[in-house]
Amino acid sequence: MDSKFNITVRNCDLYYSEFQALKDVNMDIDEHEVTAFIGPSGCGKSTFIKTLNRMNDLIEDCRITGEIIIGEQDIYEKGTDVTMLRKNVGMVFQKPNPFPMTIYDNIAFAPRTFGIKKKAELDEVVERSLRQAGLWDEVRDRLRKNAMGLSGGQQQRLCIARALAAEPKILLMDEPTSALDPISTGKIEELMIELKKEYTIIIVTHNMQQATRISDKTAFFLLGEVIEYATTQELFSNPKDKRTESYITGRFG
Amino acid sequence: MMIKAYRFIKARDYLMRAVFMLCAAFSILALACICVFLFVSGIPFIGRIGFSNFFGTTWHVDSQAYGILSMIVTSLYLTALATFIGVTTGLLTAICLFRFCPKRLIPSIRQMVNLLAGIPSVIYGLFGLIIIVPFLRDYVSPNSIGFGLLAASLVVSIMILPTIVSVSLDALNAVPRSYYEGSLALGATSEQSVFKVVVPAARSGILAAVVLAIGRAIGETMAVIMVIGNSPVMPHGLFQSVRTMTANIALGAKELGGDAATALVSTGVVLFIFTLLLNISFNLLRGGEKREKKRTQKTDT
Amino acid sequence: MKKNAHKRQILKFAVLKNITRAALLVSLIALVSVVAFILIRGLPHINMQLLFGEYTSRSPSLLPAITGTLYIIVISILIAAPIGIGSAIYLTEYTNSKSRLIRIVRIAVETLAGIPSIVYGIFGYLVFVVALGFRYSLIGGGMTLAIMILPVIVRSTEESLLAVPLALREGSFALGSSKVRTIFSVVLPCAASGIVTSLILAIGRVISESAALLMTIGMVVNKVPENFASPGTSLALNVYYFGSHGYPEEAAATAVVLLVLVMSINILATALGKFFGKGELAHG
């Protein structure tokens, strides 16, 4: 199980029926890095992040070609174990989406899916995940309360903890702070820097400051293409492409 | 971590999908069975006894006369009358509830209307039997007969009233507030705005209420059977014992056997075809309207 | 001149407004008087003998009807609930397959909802009473009603399933859950209150129904049914029977029992819907 979990994407095209949403995307993402995807709305960055755990399977008429290899496995190969893929590649959504059940049951959801039934084991996973997400001290007394009672920021950290409880190797975050206030956003950014020691993190963000604060590498998407992919520092200080430059200097977006 | 075999999960997904699909297919199966059973035992009978016998005016089981024309006519009269009374009153009530009545009364009236919509039809029938029929007999009827089309129409129209109010009020509430406000801004009074702008804009919802009303009126059995008198003759007035198709089926069900029982099934087939036609024409109407809406939206953008 | 016409316009609509008020008044009087007269005529005749006594032709009892009604509720809900909920799940959760089947199912459900209950009665008579040889029996009636309430259950369950946000399903899938686990552990629990409400309303429909039962269960008013294969009667049928066989007081009393039952069921359903509606998804 201790295989590597680096991501290799080759010639990836994606279509929603007739519309081509991704054009020839190529990318290599290493383990234990934070990679940020930036670009204007509708540029394909969210579409691309969803290809990495095959969430686009849920969308009708979605067709994908090319290779996406995680570790050694082409995840679009026939017979791929999608549940294992999604266990290994966790995801946090734009809007916090805790299940309307107790905090405990939210966190225990994934372990239960994968067959853990013993209470002691579940207790341990719940505590560990909540601690990792920096939420343990705030909710330890109300694990049996409904998760909908938490604040927006807490809900989002709960969703992160819920994803971590599946023990993923890669964490996909689709604009995880766009629905949150600045203080909650700060907490989640700190958390991401903490988490990168153990996980590979890929984050879609609208916020360029956020990308510079937390990511090691950044990819700039435009109209379904990766225009530029480099270390964050280089991309922001010395963009190679004219379009990248005009985007990061705020000339469109 | 113990991991369930992916194949098992996949198989379970397929299995449950099949189970849900079968559940869904059950409705199709049920509808098909209803059609087949009704048509197979009802239609050949019409052929056997002859079209003119079945659609004739005499129903006299002992002499093999199974004419249901008088019942078809009665059903149509009843439906028209009950729908007219029910829809007029119901729609006006809904309009009043929509804008012309004190705001604080609305929630309780709505709740009451919703509750009344659930009252069993036999109760309306009984109300007709012990209140409306004697009242009509004593105070209204010129020939001292209370039973008949008027009693039945009144009972059915009261019965469908809550549904009509509820559905058309929903339709009125679904009209964007900006229509009403826009009309006010052009100098129209509140009443003008409601009648000339909001009500026309809600017409497809109101149409749905009318269709619902027609469907219930033509299919109603128990409330009708208790107040209409049930003589299988052509209706010539409002105060005369007559019989609807539904009443014919229900009355004969326990007593008749053989050909007569089959004649009831054939009556059911006619009734069934009427309701199917109603549904189909409504769906076509609605479908046409939807398409039109889509088109206007497209030209908008 | 023009000013006058304008005034007349305004006046005309003001009159219309008052006509609507009159209509409201008429509607309310009509509906309230139904309930009031039934109560006035029926309440004085309710007593223990009528409700639970031994049936004799001089003092009829509702015990056979109460028992029969219970049988029919149990049979029809047991059959219609799983099938109806299953169909609703297929219609909402498997739309990805956007098959022709789903479109046909929708048309079938719509059509079933529009069929008059007496036609269901004929169908039940042809199939259960005659073809399957059940003769007049509670089970035949219960099965007939099961088909009749199916569209009610399918539609309202579908509505509660659609009210579950897509984000929750996504969240569940993203954690590696299968479709089945997502449906049973996330979607159904979230929709539970709505589904329960729809089942309660379906029970209300079953209790109210009489025409379809008239043709399938035999209207045996004087004997408590021994089991589900016996012929029997129901409360609603008894109202008709008493009303048309010269027992007007008993008919009114039975109507009161029926009225109270149906009203409390509807109130229960509304209250439940409100209670859960506030509790669960409102925050999300």
Side-chain angles (χ1 to χ4, degrees):
Chain A
M1 283 303 279
D2 271 343
S3 51
K4 277 177 70 77
F5 277 90
N6 54 333
I7 302 170
T8 313
V9 182
R10 289 286 169 269
N11 312 104
C12 176
D13 290 312
L14 184 144
Y15 304 84
Y16 294 127
S17 61
E18 299 300 302
F19 173 70
Q20 185 167 8
L22 290 177
K23 288 172 200 156
D24 195 27
V25 175
N26 290 283
M27 201 178 284
D28 294 274
I29 299 172
D30 259 333
E31 290 185 297
H32 307 298
E33 273 186 350
V34 177
T35 307
F37 294 168
I38 60 170
S41 318
C43 66
K45 55 193 194 307
S46 283
T47 303
F48 182 59
I49 202 173
K50 282 188 173 134
T51 62
L52 299 177
N53 66 344
R54 290 187 54 168
M55 283 303 278
N56 48 21
D57 286 10
L58 306 180
I59 299 162
E60 246 172 294
D61 305 328
C62 176
R63 210 153 43 77
I64 190 161
T65 59
E67 287 178 337
I68 297 180
I69 297 164
I70 297 184
E72 264 118 56
Q73 168 87 45
D74 182 341
I75 61 169
Y76 282 90
E77 210 167 67
K78 241 188 162 184
T80 306
D81 181 343
V82 183
T83 58
M84 273 312 283
L85 168 72
R86 293 195 184 135
K87 180 195 165 300
N88 286 328
V89 184
M91 184 161 200
V92 176
F93 295 83
Q94 189 169 359
K95 231 182 118 208
N97 58 349
F99 302 132
M101 34 175 122
T102 65
I103 295 172
Y104 186 96
D105 288 340
N106 261 284
I107 309 292
F109 191 87
R112 281 179 178 145
T113 307
F114 293 99
I116 295 181
K117 295 217 172 69
K118 286 206 200 85
K119 194 175 176 306
E121 265 179 86
L122 283 175
D123 286 349
E124 195 206 304
V125 177
V126 170
E127 180 172 345
R128 191 183 61 228
S129 314
L130 283 171
R131 276 190 196 284
Q132 275 183 307
L135 197 59
W136 174 251
D137 293 324
E138 292 165 57
V139 301
R140 61 190 306 170
D141 303 323
R142 43 175 174 152
L143 292 175
R144 298 288 168 190
K145 292 265 166 63
N146 195 316
M148 305 312 272
L150 298 173
S151 73
Q154 286 174 323
Q155 285 187 4
Q156 193 61 304
R157 278 182 288 151
L158 180 81
C159 291
I160 295 175
R162 187 176 71 184
L164 295 178
E167 300 181 348
K169 304 291 187 289
I170 300 167
L171 201 55
L172 309 176
M173 304 177 110
D174 189 357
E175 301 190 38
T177 59
S178 66
L180 303 180
D181 62 275
I183 293 174
S184 308
T185 302
K187 278 189 185 161
I188 286 180
E189 285 182 10
E190 277 169 37
L191 179 59
M192 280 188 269
I193 293 167
E194 193 62 34
L195 289 174
K196 114 185 194 191
K197 290 173 197 153
E198 285 176 67
Y199 305 94
T200 308
I201 295 178
I202 300 171
I203 174 172
V204 168
T205 178
H206 252 117
N207 179 333
M208 277 175 277
Q209 281 76 38
Q210 186 169 56
T212 54
R213 280 196 297 267
I214 57 174
S215 68
D216 303 308
K217 286 194 177 158
T218 299
F220 171 59
F221 282 74
L222 189 65
L223 299 170
E225 281 177 90
V226 179
I227 303 299
E228 197 163 349
Y229 174 49
T231 63
T232 302
Q233 218 201 338
E234 203 173 296
L235 187 123
F236 279 98
S237 58
N238 191 12
K240 297 268 185 308
D241 195 292
K242 205 90 194 119
R243 290 167 291 181
T244 316
E245 194 187 348
S246 18
Y247 181 71
I248 60 178
T249 51
R251 244 166 276 163
F252 70 95
Chain B
M1 202 184 256
M2 194 188 98
I3 288 156
K4 281 181 198 161
Y6 184 57
R7 248 196 235 150
F8 167 72
I9 293 174
K10 262 283 192 257
R12 195 181 56 177
D13 267 10
Y14 274 116
L15 178 76
M16 286 314 288
R17 188 201 160 102
V19 169
F20 293 139
M21 194 152 102
L22 283 179
C23 289
F26 184 85
S27 295
I28 304 175
L29 183 79
L31 183 63
C33 276
I34 291 176
C35 294
V36 167
F37 268 91
L38 253 65
F39 291 152
V40 163
S41 58
I43 289 184
F45 175 78
I46 302 178
R48 207 181 71 222
I49 64 161
F51 204 76
S52 55
N53 182 351
F54 187 68
F55 290 102
T57 50
T58 20
W59 173 275
H60 194 256
V61 175
D62 294 333
S63 55
Q64 267 99 53
Y66 302 112
I68 63 162
L69 187 65
S70 64
M71 301 161 202
I72 297 178
V73 173
T74 307
S75 279
L76 293 179
Y77 275 160
L78 170 70
T79 305
L81 203 55
T83 308
F84 175 73
I85 302 173
V87 168
T88 321
T89 322
L91 182 58
L92 288 172
T93 304
I95 293 174
C96 182
L97 284 176
F98 174 65
R99 188 111 315 181
F100 305 136
C101 111
K103 280 270 178 309
R104 68 204 147 77
L105 289 181
I106 296 173
S108 40
I109 294 181
R110 270 219 91 154
Q111 209 143 29
M112 203 170 85
V113 167
N114 283 342
L115 266 185
L116 292 167
I119 293 182
S121 56
V122 266
I123 291 188
Y124 286 102
L126 185 69
F127 173 75
L129 182 70
I130 60 178
I131 307 293
I132 292 183
V133 169
F135 177 82
L136 291 179
R137 181 190 60 210
D138 297 342
Y139 300 103
V140 183
S141 172
N143 56 359
S144 297
I145 294 177
F147 291 105
L149 269 175
L150 185 63
S153 303
L154 284 176
V155 168
V156 172
S157 59
I158 298 176
M159 187 183 92
I160 58 181
L161 201 54
T163 315
I164 297 170
V165 172
S166 203
V167 174
S168 34
L169 187 53
D170 282 342
L172 291 172
N173 280 327
V175 175
R177 227 190 120 74
S178 57
Y179 287 26
Y180 174 73
E181 282 165 357
S183 167
L184 285 188
L186 291 172
T189 61
S190 170
E191 293 92 38
Q192 282 174 319
S193 311
V194 169
F195 284 106
K196 291 215 144 160
V197 178
V198 180
V199 173
R203 67 174 180 281
S204 76
I206 293 170
L207 182 72
V210 175
V211 171
L212 219 57
I214 296 176
R216 286 198 60 185
I218 199 167
E220 182 49 43
T221 310
M222 302 312 276
V224 172
I225 203 176
M226 294 170 87
V227 295
I228 204 164
N230 301 318
S231 311
V233 295
M234 262 298 173
H236 294 296
L238 293 173
F239 303 98
Q240 169 204 3
S241 171
V242 286
R243 186 188 284 191
T244 60
M245 290 188 276
T246 53
N248 193 38
I249 300 166
L251 283 169
K254 282 210 72 188
E255 285 134 33
L256 306 176
D259 267 2
T262 316
L264 302 184
V265 179
S266 306
T267 316
V269 171
V270 176
L271 179 63
F272 184 49
I273 289 173
F274 269 108
T275 53
L276 282 186
L277 286 179
L278 181 70
N279 277 336
I280 291 169
S281 51
F282 175 58
N283 279 331
L284 286 181
L285 226 66
R286 204 174 49 175
E289 200 150 292
K290 252 183 209 160
R291 232 167 292 137
E292 205 165 289
K293 234 177 216 170
K294 246 184 212 160
R295 205 179 312 138
T296 47
Q297 267 165 10
K298 251 182 203 157
T299 47
D300 277 353
T301 48
Chain C
M1 200 54 206
K2 227 181 168 189
K3 215 173 190 179
N4 252 340
H6 181 62
K7 256 192 189 151
R8 214 174 306 134
Q9 269 280 321
I10 289 179
L11 197 71
K12 187 176 108 196
F13 283 106
V15 170
L16 261 177
K17 172 169 87 174
N18 286 316
I19 292 177
T20 69
R21 287 188 174 145
L24 174 69
L25 207 63
V26 169
S27 301
L28 289 181
I29 289 172
L31 292 169
V32 169
S33 63
V34 171
V35 175
F37 275 109
I38 294 292
L39 288 178
I40 291 168
R41 290 294 182 88
L43 271 179
H45 302 284
I46 291 186
N47 52 47
M48 283 317 275
Q49 161 59 26
L50 179 79
L51 289 178
F52 305 112
E54 191 86 12
Y55 192 102
T56 63
S57 57
R58 302 198 66 190
S59 60
S61 144
L62 291 179
L63 196 58
I66 293 171
T67 325
T69 307
L70 286 177
Y71 269 118
I72 288 166
I73 292 172
V74 171
I75 295 165
S76 56
I77 294 292
L78 273 185
I79 297 171
I83 297 178
I85 295 171
S87 318
I89 291 175
Y90 189 74
L91 290 178
T92 50
E93 305 301 312
Y94 291 89
T95 39
N96 257 3
S97 55
K98 208 181 202 173
S99 59
R100 182 176 283 160
L101 180 69
I102 285 182
R103 266 206 347 257
I104 300 176
V105 171
R106 262 179 225 290
I107 294 172
V109 170
E110 290 290 318
T111 313
L112 283 177
I115 297 178
S117 58
I118 191 78
V119 174
Y120 282 102
I122 301 176
F123 173 70
Y125 171 79
L126 288 175
V127 174
F128 302 115
V129 180
V130 179
L132 292 177
F134 291 0
R135 285 191 268 176
Y136 289 115
S137 69
L138 293 171
I139 179 123
M143 287 167 132
T144 309
L145 290 202
I147 302 173
M148 205 181 95
I149 58 172
L150 192 64
V152 181
I153 296 180
V154 173
R155 279 191 193 164
S156 49
T157 304
E158 214 187 324
E159 247 167 61
S160 2
L161 292 179
L162 286 174
V164 177
L166 200 65
L168 293 184
R169 296 181 179 91
E170 281 185 339
S172 170
F173 285 126
L175 292 169
S177 310
S178 62
K179 189 113 189 167
V180 170
R181 176 154 164 80
T182 303
I183 289 171
F184 282 98
S185 307
V186 177
V187 179
L188 284 181
C190 289
S193 68
I195 295 174
V196 171
T197 307
S198 81
L199 291 184
I200 293 176
L201 289 175
I203 292 178
R205 278 288 296 273
V206 171
I207 294 176
S208 314
E209 184 48 44
S210 43
L213 294 178
L214 181 69
M215 310 198 58
T216 48
I217 65 172
M219 200 159 69
V220 175
V221 296
N222 57 359
K223 247 195 350 227
V224 176
E226 283 157 30
N227 56 43
F228 58 82
S230 323
T233 184
S234 78
L235 283 169
L237 262 190
N238 266 28
V239 176
Y240 167 65
Y241 179 85
F242 289 146
S244 54
H245 287 75
Y247 297 98
E249 282 109 25
E250 282 79 4
T254 313
V256 171
V257 175
L258 191 60
L259 196 65
V260 170
L261 210 61
V262 171
M263 290 270 187
S264 20
I265 277 179
N266 283 343
I267 291 172
L268 179 72
T270 327
L272 211 70
K274 264 194 196 142
F275 177 75
F276 281 108
K278 258 177 215 154
E280 273 172 16
L281 295 168
H283 295 283

